[in-house]
Amino acid sequence: MLNLKTISAGLVAGAAFASAQCTIPTTPLSDDIPSHFRIQVQNASRPEVHNKYMNLFEAGGGDQHLFIGPVGEPTYDFTLVDGVVFNVRKNIRLVIGGEWSEIDHTTKLFSTARPDPDAIFQPTYACNPDTGLLQVELRFVQWEGEPLGGHICVRHSFDGSHEFRYDPPGNTLIDVNRECIKVTLVVLPTLDGGPSTTFSTVTVSSTSSSSSVVPPSSSSTSTLTSTSTSTAPPSTSTSGVLPYTDMTSLGWRYIGCAPEERWTTDGPFRTLSGALLGSDTMTNEACMAFCGANGWAYAGTEWRRECWCGNSYAPTRQPLTTLVSLAKCDYRCSGDSGQFCGGDAWLSLYAKCPTGGPCENAVFT
Ligand SMILES: *[C@@H]1O[C@H](CO)[C@@H](O)[C@H](O)[C@H]1NC(C)=O
C-alpha cells in the first residue's frame, strides 16, 4: 500500500512508481472529446521527451508541423472528432503522409486542412507512469486506409526540438543516429486537475435538426447605435457591429457572454452541461433549433463550432452584460461568418423566451 511518505520519497528520488496503480474505469471512452485539450508526450524512460507538449509550427500553405519544445507554439485547443485530432482555431487536423525517411521507414505526422489521410486515435484510460493518477491517452489506432497498428514516435530535429513521426506496423528499421522514440500521447484538459467531465457525462448528438430551422430575419446582426464606441471596441468584429446575433425573432434572447470553467474556480464542469452539438456548419439558428427541439431552456454557442444546451447554470457562470465583455464572445460561427459563436472558453448565452411573453436581449452598459 502506498502512503504519502512513500510518494514524496519517490518524487524526491525521481523513482518510477511501478507500484502506483490507479483504478481504470470499465466504461469505454467515446472517440469524441469536444472540450479543448493539449497533448502531452510521455516516455518515462526518455527524459529528453517525457512530459513535453505537442506544439504547432507554421509550415506554409496553412499547414502546421508538430514539434515538442523548444520549437513551435504551445497549443491548448485540440478537440477529437471521430478519433481525429482537430485544431479549430487553425482549421487543421492531424494527418500522416509525405516525407518518408528511407533510413528508418517513418513518415511525418503533421496537421493540415488539405485532404491527406487522417491519423486515427482512440481515447483510453491509463495510469500516469510518474504519479499513478488516472489519465486519458490517445492510443494510436491506424493511419486512415492503412493496416491497423503502428505507433507515433518523435525524432530529434532542429534547435533541440523533436518532430512527430508515424512508425508503421512491423517496421524494424532504426536510425541509430537519430532514433525515433516511441511515445504515448496524453490528453490534458486545459484546466489542471484531471480529465474533464465532458469525457463521460456529455450527451453528444450528431443528428442535425436543420428541418426545424427557421431563417432569422434578414438583418440578424444588431447594429451598434449607442455612444459606447469608446468603451467597447470588440476586437475582431467589424466596427459598428455588436458581437452577438439577435435571435429574438426565433424566440431566444441574448443574455450575455458567459465564462466557462477555465475562468472560474468552481469547475471542472461546463456552464451548460445538458447536450452538445459540434459542427463545421454551426450557426446560432442551428444551435437554438437543436436545443429548442430537445426542450432545453438555455442554448449557447462557443469556439465557432460548438452548441451547448442546458436548463440552468451556476451563479459563478453568470453571463456578463458590460459592453466590454461582448468582445470575449466575438468568434465568427463556423457556418456563417456574419454571426458570432462565443469565444475561447466563453459562451454566447441565449435563453428561451416564454411563449407569448416578452423577448428582449439583455441591455449592455
Ligand atoms: C520509449 O521509447 C523506446 C524507444 O522507442 C521504446 O522502446 C519504449 O517502448 C518506449 N516506452 C514507452 C513507455 O513508450
Side-chain angles (χ1 to χ4, degrees):
M1 192 198 291
L2 273 178
N3 60 41
L4 280 175
K5 266 188 192 152
T6 323
I7 290 172
S8 43
L11 283 172
V12 169
F17 281 94
S19 60
Q21 284 305 319
C22 60
T23 306
I24 307 280
T26 49
T27 42
L29 286 163
S30 142
D31 61 1
D32 287 309
I33 305 177
S35 53
H36 304 148
F37 58 86
R38 53 199 305 215
I39 295 177
Q40 190 185 51
V41 160
Q42 292 177 358
N43 183 325
S45 54
R46 301 305 175 101
E48 70 270 35
V49 302
H50 187 50
N51 290 340
K52 293 196 172 171
Y53 296 96
M54 180 185 282
N55 292 343
L56 298 180
F57 182 77
E58 179 65 52
D63 289 5
Q64 299 278 331
H65 286 178
L66 308 172
F67 287 91
I68 51 180
V71 163
E73 174 198 349
T75 185
Y76 301 84
D77 45 16
F78 289 118
T79 61
L80 192 74
V81 181
D82 293 339
V84 179
V85 177
F86 276 88
N87 184 290
V88 181
R89 187 166 50 94
K90 305 263 186 197
N91 186 31
I92 49 169
R93 48 184 227 299
L94 261 54
V95 302
I96 295 169
E99 303 194 24
W100 283 95
S101 288
E102 270 173 40
I103 191 162
D104 66 357
H105 195 58
T106 64
T107 188
K108 202 182 272 298
L109 173 77
F110 67 106
S111 59
T112 186
R114 286 178 287 105
D116 298 71
D118 296 325
I120 299 170
F121 298 90
Q122 172 61 50
T124 310
Y125 285 115
C127 300
N128 182 295
D130 302 329
T131 63
L133 294 174
L134 189 65
Q135 66 183 16
V136 173
E137 300 177 359
L138 291 177
R139 290 275 162 84
F140 183 71
V141 176
Q142 70 184 124
W143 183 15
E144 187 187 3
E146 298 294 318
L148 286 174
H151 56 257
I152 301 302
C153 57
V154 294
R155 198 173 76 169
H156 189 255
S157 186
F158 66 94
D159 287 350
S161 69
H162 285 75
E163 59 172 353
F164 286 78
R165 315 278 304 173
Y166 161 73
D167 189 359
N171 183 27
T172 51
L173 292 176
I174 293 174
D175 180 351
V176 287
N177 296 314
R178 199 155 75 118
E179 184 189 11
C180 202
I181 303 166
K182 181 183 169 187
V183 289
T184 303
L185 304 182
V186 179
V187 171
L188 283 195
T190 49
L191 184 80
D192 288 341
S196 152
T197 49
T198 44
F199 286 122
S200 52
T201 62
V202 166
T203 313
V204 178
S205 169
S206 56
T207 55
S208 155
S209 39
S210 54
S211 56
S212 59
V213 172
V214 181
S217 56
S218 54
S219 169
S220 62
T221 305
S222 298
T223 309
L224 185 67
T225 52
S226 74
T227 55
S228 58
T229 42
S230 61
T231 49
S235 51
T236 65
S237 68
T238 315
S239 115
V241 177
L242 276 183
Y244 73 83
T245 307
D246 182 1
M247 300 296 293
T248 51
S249 64
L250 296 181
W252 293 83
R253 60 195 190 91
Y254 187 62
I255 58 174
C257 185
E260 280 288 4
E261 56 205 2
R262 199 192 305 164
W263 313 115
T264 67
T265 53
D266 64 340
F269 57 85
R270 286 292 180 163
T271 301
L272 295 182
S273 56
L276 166 65
L277 176 68
S279 165
D280 289 333
T281 56
M282 183 57 64
T283 60
N284 286 294
E285 298 92 286
C287 178
M288 266 138 263
F290 170 70
C291 295
N294 294 292
W296 300 102
Y298 295 95
T301 47
E302 184 176 338
W303 198 258
R304 297 192 176 93
R305 64 183 309 280
E306 297 169 0
C307 169
W308 296 87
C309 317
N311 281 331
S312 63
Y313 51 85
T316 49
R317 311 297 176 87
Q318 201 71 34
L320 306 177
T321 53
T322 60
L323 279 166
V324 172
S325 71
L326 287 169
K328 297 187 186 302
C329 283
D330 67 349
Y331 282 24
R332 305 285 178 161
C333 300
S334 58
D336 181 354
S337 63
Q339 296 188 18
F340 299 94
C341 282
D344 180 8
W346 289 94
L347 193 65
S348 291
L349 188 57
Y350 292 82
K352 185 107 187 75
C353 299
T355 313
C359 197
E360 282 167 15
N361 296 318
V363 176
F364 294 87
T365 51

